[in-house]
């Protein structure tokens, strides 16, 4: 249907789409049901991406750092976690981090379903910001280490959410796919 719609637009002077970029995030109300990535949504993204790739479209993901985080094996579709590193800094808890929810897409649908993966290191109160701004780690060294972690792969404990129907496994992002977003840095 998308391909047909894209073609029909050409008749009206529209140049067509090159692809799709998935940038799904939670909302500002911590109690909202929209702060859980539903399996229906995740599977729609995965299936659509596979079909789009098969038709020659570009597909990409834009997860926040906590949504695809090689420094932890934790997995959850909930987007309401705190990062304990910030407890001593913030006046109130910031409960809008995830635990590798985008890893589900790579594990179930394959990393080859996506041309690019733009990891948003500028997520509010990200691990990158904490390491560089608070702990004063060298930015180049931190980024190089992060690139290594993504390309080497990390264990994601999908068994923490039995409803996803996949077992814990190693998830990787190839250097050819990986883009580190550093806006506001």
């Amino acid at each position: 249907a998308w391909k047909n719609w894209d073609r029909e637009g050409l008749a009206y002077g529209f140049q067509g789409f090159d692809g799709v970029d998935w940038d799904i995030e939670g909302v500002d109300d911590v109690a909202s049901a929209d702060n859980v990535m539903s399996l229906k949504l995740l599977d729609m993204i995965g299936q659509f991406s596979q079909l789009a790739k098969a038709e020659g479209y570009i597909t990409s993901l834009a997860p926040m750092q906590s949504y695809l985080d090689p420094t932890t094996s934790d997995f959850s579709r909930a987007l309401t976690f705190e990062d304990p590193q910030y407890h001593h800094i913030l006046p109130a808890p910031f409960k809008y981090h995830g635990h590798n929810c985008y890893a589900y897409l790579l594990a179930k649908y394959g990393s080859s379903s996506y041309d690019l993966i733009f990891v948003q290191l500028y997520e509010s109160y990200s691990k990158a910001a904490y390491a560089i701004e608070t702990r004063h780690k060298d930015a180049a060294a931190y980024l190089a280490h992060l690139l290594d972690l993504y390309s080497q792969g990390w264990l994601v404990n999908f068994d923490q959410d039995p409803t996803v129907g996949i077992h814990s496994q190693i998830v990787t992002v190839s250097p050819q796919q990986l883009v580190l977003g550093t806006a506001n840095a």
Side-chain angles (χ1 to χ4, degrees):
W2 190 43
K3 186 175 180 181
N4 290 337
W5 176 81
D6 195 27
R7 275 196 215 142
E8 289 172 14
L10 295 174
Y12 300 102
F14 177 65
Q15 297 301 308
F17 282 102
D18 292 320
V20 61
D21 176 43
W22 299 105
D23 185 358
I24 310 299
E25 300 175 6
V27 298
D28 289 340
D29 176 3
V30 91
S32 172
D34 291 329
N35 280 324
V36 175
M37 293 264 187
S38 71
L39 284 177
K40 183 176 180 179
L41 173 64
L42 289 168
D43 287 332
M44 185 274 302
I45 291 170
Q47 292 166 11
F48 186 98
S49 296
Q50 285 184 328
L51 292 169
K53 280 281 289 179
E55 293 294 332
Y57 290 100
I58 297 167
T59 61
S60 64
L61 298 174
M64 290 196 267
Q65 184 177 13
S66 68
Y67 292 11
L68 191 64
D69 182 2
T71 68
T72 182
S73 292
D74 287 335
F75 174 77
S76 177
R77 293 179 296 114
L79 308 174
T80 54
F81 294 97
E82 297 176 54
D83 187 334
Q85 297 179 111
Y86 283 98
H87 283 184
H88 70 286
I89 298 173
L90 300 176
F94 183 80
K95 297 183 177 187
Y96 298 102
H97 287 123
H99 282 167
N100 280 314
C101 56
Y102 272 60
Y104 172 87
L105 295 167
L106 302 179
K108 183 165 183 181
Y109 295 97
S111 62
S112 63
S113 296
Y114 309 96
D115 295 288
L116 297 169
I117 299 172
F118 299 90
V119 178
Q120 300 176 30
L121 301 182
Y122 51 89
E123 168 185 22
S124 295
Y125 308 109
S126 71
K127 288 183 177 182
Y130 186 83
I132 295 166
E133 296 171 7
T134 304
R135 296 191 59 216
H136 306 290
K137 289 195 173 197
D138 178 72
Y142 177 84
L143 295 175
H145 177 67
L146 195 58
L147 290 170
D148 286 342
L149 293 176
Y150 279 111
S151 64
Q152 291 170 9
W154 71 104
L155 177 66
V156 178
N157 291 325
F158 295 108
D159 294 323
Q160 290 175 322
D161 180 353
T163 65
V164 299
I166 55 178
H167 293 291
S168 298
Q169 60 188 272
I170 302 293
V171 173
T172 60
V173 179
S174 78
Q176 294 80 11
Q177 293 173 292
L178 186 60
V179 178
L180 298 178
T182 58
N184 305 322

